[in-house]
Amino acid sequence: YNLPSFCQPTNGNDSKKFKGEDKMDGAPSRVLHIRKLPGEVTETEVIALGLPFGKVTNILMLKGKNQAFLELATEEAAITMVNYYSAVTPHLRNQPIYIQYSNHKELKTDNTLNQRAQAVLQAVTAVQTANTPLSGTTVSESAVTPAQSPVLRIIIDNMYYPVTLDVLHQIFSKFGAVLKIITFTKNNQFQALLQYGDPVNAQQAKLALDGQNIYNACCTLRIDFSKLVNLNVKYNNDKSRDYTRPDLPSGDGQPALDPAIAAAFAKETSLLGLPVAAVPGALSPLAIPNAAAAAAAAAAGRVGMPGVSAGGNTVLLVSNLNEEMVTPQSLFTLFGVYGDVQRVKILYNKKDSALIQMADGNQSQLAMNHLNGQKMYGKIIRVTLSKHQTVQLPREGLDDQGLTKDFGNSPLHRFKKPGSKNFQNIFPPSATLHLSNIPPSVAEEDLRTLFANTGGTVKAFKFFQDHKMALLQMATVEEAIQALIDLHNYNLGENHHLRVSFSKSTI
């Protein structure tokens, strides 16, 4: 059929950009141009790409060209989505697709032509906003059916890592209040029953999560509606929980994990020396309307989008360093904000460059996205992926003047603990720092003096209510980076070591 002329990609500027493949350039727009779609892909699948970032307000499928235009309610949502998918290549039906800003600021679609897409959009939006009943909408095959039960049955495939009841609670809470969860192992498969207060929430969660991976490339969720409409939970422990009745006894506290899986898991991790995939809060980042946070969370590997593996290069090459000042320790501290730095090697014959090995490919991607182009010790540093697979340690008895350091066993890794709050607090370098672990005896004046001594100006300071945390604003991002390098883990006495990270807030 004839498309309205504005979206004939043949004569719009959108097609000129194809040469550049997946360039994300172009001015931000709430209309996104999606290319390289698999032939059989449905409107629902394309809409689902945008749902986690906000309301999808229009869609236009160009089936013959394997392209689509997707319009979001706000430009901010579109920017979040583009940033997120530039860190994590989106896949539909196991095929990479490309997303960029369109030159159009909005989609003026001819509704008669686009009726089917509009019907799907209405149905999905109805589910998403949970205000409009689904019954009245006439929707074609690929859309959604009204939810029958508030209880979902969840099966986890490819369970290479244990999935706990808490992880499930965290993931599914994004779609509404979770009232009860029961987990069990059946036919050697980990399964769960999870009850929402409202069937619409169950419908939303199923739509968004069925087929997703909790961790990178494993622990795939298979979700159906249960025939049960109410769960009867007897005990609150790590196998079952009723969040509406905190008074329930814990029973015999059987381990939540099938012992065989636990043993296999322990064996596997020790073999691979793998940090458990950074997971909990699996989908929480998408609830944050903050582009950096979404990309960060994605890159921390917490939103195992289908087709994204934890592979990717773990080693970064950092160049244009200030060779008079830089040390392995300072690089460990700064890059440690975005992942667990395993090893750092400042190059012996090129001391303004260093190799940094992160715990996984997502962390290196994240550190590169956030630190490339930032100023460290007065110089704008460049961060790229290295072709090296690992950072070699110097041979036994060979002194490389302390240029190479192994931080594998450092107690200062921020992301070793699955579920650590640090996962939710990954932000780009900013002039405002978040301080925590402050002992009661330390006053605002002490902290202001301490931070001013790093060579910058303290512009503002604010304690949180409990005085254990504070926000402190330096004059520039560069000063804040310097202060974080100098003072993260600083001993404030009384066995309190100061924790410093970048904040998304300003004071």
Side-chain angles (χ1 to χ4, degrees):
Y1 51 72
N2 288 330
L3 292 166
S5 60
F6 85 89
C7 61
Q8 290 286 8
T10 42
N11 58 20
N13 296 350
D14 283 290
S15 59
K16 296 203 185 75
K17 278 200 281 202
F18 285 3
K19 314 279 182 295
E21 251 339 281
D22 53 345
K23 279 276 186 293
M24 295 284 180
D25 53 10
S29 156
R30 62 194 187 91
V31 180
L32 299 176
H33 184 196
I34 304 174
R35 299 181 289 110
K36 296 278 175 84
L37 289 169
E40 337 65 84
V41 81
T42 63
E43 278 91 347
T44 314
E45 289 172 275
V46 175
I47 292 168
L49 289 168
L51 281 185
F53 302 94
K55 194 168 153 60
V56 175
T57 47
N58 208 343
I59 178 173
L60 178 74
M61 298 286 278
L62 310 178
K63 282 273 164 75
K65 294 200 156 63
N66 297 70
Q67 296 173 22
F69 288 92
L70 193 68
E71 177 188 272
L72 280 89
T74 64
E75 200 169 287
E76 188 185 25
I79 294 172
T80 306
M81 179 168 161
V82 167
N83 289 358
Y84 174 79
Y85 288 129
S86 60
V88 174
T89 308
H91 285 66
L92 283 180
R93 306 195 173 208
N94 289 329
Q95 201 170 306
I97 59 172
Y98 297 99
I99 298 180
Q100 63 195 39
Y101 299 118
S102 161
N103 294 344
H104 308 298
K105 289 299 177 202
E106 60 177 2
L107 280 184
K108 300 184 200 50
T109 44
D110 174 340
N111 276 349
T112 50
L113 297 178
N114 206 22
Q115 233 162 359
R116 166 151 189 269
Q118 293 303 318
V120 174
L121 193 59
Q122 260 176 327
V124 174
T125 320
V127 169
Q128 206 192 14
T129 50
N131 303 338
T132 21
L134 278 176
S135 47
T137 20
T138 47
V139 174
S140 53
E141 31 84 32
S142 68
V144 282
T145 50
Q148 300 79 20
S149 157
V151 180
L152 294 175
R153 190 180 68 138
I154 301 157
I155 295 178
I156 297 187
D157 284 342
N158 318 327
M159 187 151 143
Y160 300 145
Y161 294 119
V163 171
T164 63
L165 183 143
D166 291 325
V167 168
L168 291 173
H169 182 257
Q170 219 160 351
I171 296 171
F172 283 83
S173 293
K174 180 176 183 295
F175 299 91
V178 173
L179 306 186
K180 305 170 187 175
I181 305 180
I182 298 174
T183 64
F184 50 96
T185 303
K186 186 174 169 186
N187 310 335
N188 277 337
Q189 260 189 325
F190 179 79
Q191 304 195 17
L193 291 166
L194 182 144
Q195 181 176 343
Y196 281 101
D198 185 331
V200 177
N201 301 121
Q203 169 80 350
Q204 265 175 290
K206 179 179 186 310
L207 196 71
L209 296 175
D210 188 24
Q212 297 274 30
N213 299 327
I214 301 180
Y215 300 96
N216 277 315
C218 68
C219 301
T220 312
L221 293 164
R222 302 269 168 242
I223 304 173
D224 278 309
F225 290 104
S226 166
K227 293 187 181 60
L228 301 168
V229 287
N230 186 30
L231 298 180
N232 181 14
V233 176
K234 296 192 179 69
Y235 303 116
N236 279 345
N237 55 31
D238 48 12
K239 290 187 100 158
S240 63
R241 215 162 290 171
D242 183 335
Y243 295 90
T244 60
R245 298 193 47 207
D247 53 335
L248 287 176
S250 68
D252 50 7
Q254 284 293 304
L257 252 190
D258 177 334
I261 295 181
F265 173 68
K267 187 165 142 207
E268 183 193 48
T269 32
S270 58
L271 276 178
L272 302 174
L274 265 185
V276 177
V279 64
L283 289 166
S284 61
L286 300 189
I288 310 168
N290 168 326
R302 293 187 291 148
V303 188
M305 284 294 187
V308 178
S309 74
N313 205 332
T314 57
V315 181
L316 296 166
L317 171 65
V318 187
S319 53
N320 201 37
L321 291 163
N322 180 333
E323 50 187 276
E324 307 296 307
M325 305 287 290
V326 74
T327 61
Q329 185 67 43
S330 62
L331 291 168
F332 167 77
T333 306
L334 179 57
F335 280 74
V337 173
Y338 300 107
D340 293 338
V341 175
Q342 305 299 305
R343 293 177 178 178
V344 177
K345 181 190 219 73
I346 294 175
L347 304 183
Y348 190 79
N349 45 9
K350 197 171 182 326
K351 293 195 173 62
D352 70 346
S353 300
L355 293 173
I356 299 180
Q357 183 176 339
M358 307 296 283
D360 66 45
N362 289 317
Q363 295 182 0
S364 54
Q365 187 74 47
L366 190 55
M368 177 171 85
N369 291 354
H370 284 310
L371 295 175
N372 182 36
Q374 295 288 354
K375 262 181 147 177
M376 179 181 182
Y377 296 123
K379 298 189 73 164
I380 291 177
I381 62 171
R382 292 278 154 244
V383 185
T384 55
L385 293 173
S386 158
K387 34 180 207 308
H388 293 280
Q389 295 304 301
T390 55
V391 169
Q392 297 296 322
L393 292 175
R395 283 198 300 283
E396 211 49 52
L398 206 77
D399 177 27
D400 72 345
Q401 303 168 5
L403 295 176
T404 309
K405 208 158 178 257
D406 187 345
F407 292 98
N409 297 323
S410 165
L412 295 183
H413 287 156
R414 296 179 188 237
F415 306 102
K416 261 232 167 83
K417 267 216 326 263
S420 149
K421 281 215 176 59
N422 294 330
F423 284 113
Q424 278 116 56
N425 296 318
I426 298 176
F427 301 110
S430 62
T432 309
L433 296 168
H434 179 277
L435 317 182
S436 57
N437 208 22
I438 303 167
S441 61
V442 170
E444 171 175 341
E445 212 31 63
D446 304 324
L447 289 165
R448 279 179 173 268
T449 310
L450 186 63
F451 277 78
N453 285 344
T454 62
T457 311
V458 177
K459 298 274 288 235
F461 181 93
K462 182 169 120 223
F463 263 122
F464 284 71
Q465 274 171 325
D466 62 1
H467 262 240
K468 290 184 185 134
M469 298 196 286
L471 291 177
L472 180 142
Q473 193 171 336
M474 303 297 287
T476 64
V477 175
E478 184 187 358
E479 287 180 10
I481 288 177
Q482 183 62 53
L484 181 140
I485 291 172
D486 291 351
L487 294 174
H488 178 61
N489 201 43
Y490 181 86
N491 188 351
L492 289 171
E494 301 170 46
N495 209 4
H496 279 65
H497 287 78
L498 182 65
R499 326 286 304 150
V500 185
S501 49
F502 297 115
S503 169
K504 66 173 187 299
S505 322
T506 44
I507 306 174

